[in-house]
Amino acid sequence: MSSKDLILNKIRESNSTEEVPLPNIAEFGITFENKIEKFQEVIQTVGGVGLESENKDLDALITELYPDVKLISSNVEACTLGNFEPNEKDNPYELKKLDLAVIKGEFAVAENGSVWLKNPNNRHRVLYFIAQNIVIIINKNDIVNNMHEAYEKINFEEAGYGTFVSGPSKTADIEQSLVIGAHGPKSGYVIFV
């Protein structure tokens, strides 16, 4: 046997791997006893606020949070404060003077205080980012523990736009100092109903 064959045989012998079963990841990821409470705690660290309300009290709560706003968009049935319809605008730049967007979130993630936004009825996805302030309404039963559970809920087969949002716009690029409202909404509330 040549030295080359000897070396290759030794490599083959040492590189053998045994078959092992894949780990069970069915219960993978952190879970929380009170998901809404955890969500509220986390979103506060990134400049947002998580609240709870009843559908019937939603208009009063939003009016209390934003007493001076003039242009309000709402795609949430329980909120009747909307006086501006963004879907009627042909150009998304016409939304730039919008004071408040009240929008429906699909579900929330307790682990990182984020909300999945994907509403195919919104003509302009810029609505989530161009308004001066944003209020996201979530059904209190539509909250998951972690991102593993979140990805299970997202349907990647359907085309369209979707995004996770956590609180108002923010950046910490300059000297690692957190600035809120830098590129989009200056304030952000998530209200569980």
Side-chain angles (χ1 to χ4, degrees):
M1 181 181 293
S2 72
S3 56
K4 175 183 171 185
D5 290 332
L6 183 64
I7 292 171
L8 289 175
N9 284 337
K10 290 288 185 187
I11 291 172
R12 285 185 194 103
E13 289 172 15
S14 66
N15 276 344
S16 63
T17 57
E18 63 182 82
E19 290 288 324
V20 293
L22 293 173
N24 179 8
I25 59 169
E27 296 182 24
F28 187 73
I30 191 167
T31 59
F32 305 98
E33 190 173 314
N34 186 329
K35 293 181 277 195
I36 291 178
E37 189 176 283
K38 181 61 178 179
F39 180 94
Q40 291 170 322
E41 176 188 320
V42 174
I43 198 168
Q44 190 171 6
T45 65
V46 293
V49 177
L51 302 171
E52 292 182 72
S53 177
E54 296 293 326
N55 272 330
K56 62 182 176 60
D57 301 328
L58 195 55
D59 283 353
L61 176 58
I62 293 170
T63 301
E64 182 182 323
L65 296 171
Y66 296 103
D68 301 323
V69 297
K70 294 184 179 24
L71 281 179
I72 302 171
S73 165
S74 172
N75 67 6
V76 177
E77 287 181 26
C79 177
T80 63
L81 300 173
N83 58 13
F84 179 87
E85 180 51 61
N87 286 345
E88 293 175 358
K89 306 300 180 189
D90 290 327
N91 188 332
Y93 293 107
E94 295 179 64
L95 280 61
K96 67 183 178 183
K97 294 189 179 184
L98 189 58
D99 294 316
L100 176 63
V102 180
I103 58 176
K104 180 185 181 306
E106 299 299 311
F107 62 87
V109 183
E111 174 184 36
N112 59 9
S114 66
V115 176
W116 176 247
L117 302 176
K118 180 181 176 106
N119 186 337
N121 297 324
N122 280 346
R123 183 176 181 193
H124 305 292
R125 62 184 179 210
V126 71
L127 175 66
Y128 304 136
F129 311 105
I130 201 167
Q132 293 296 311
N133 304 284
I134 189 169
V135 173
I136 303 170
I137 309 300
I138 300 276
N139 182 308
K140 65 182 174 184
N141 298 319
D142 292 332
I143 184 168
V144 297
N145 288 294
N146 54 57
M147 289 301 287
H148 302 284
E149 293 176 18
Y151 283 122
E152 293 282 326
K153 289 181 71 77
I154 298 173
N155 183 347
F156 291 101
E157 301 300 318
E158 294 177 13
Y161 179 80
T163 186
F164 281 104
V165 172
S166 182
S169 164
K170 58 197 137 307
T171 185
D173 291 346
I174 301 170
E175 297 182 16
Q176 301 200 357
S177 179
L178 182 63
V179 177
I180 298 200
H183 308 294
K186 296 174 185 169
S187 71
Y189 288 90
V190 175
I191 303 176
F192 293 94
V193 293

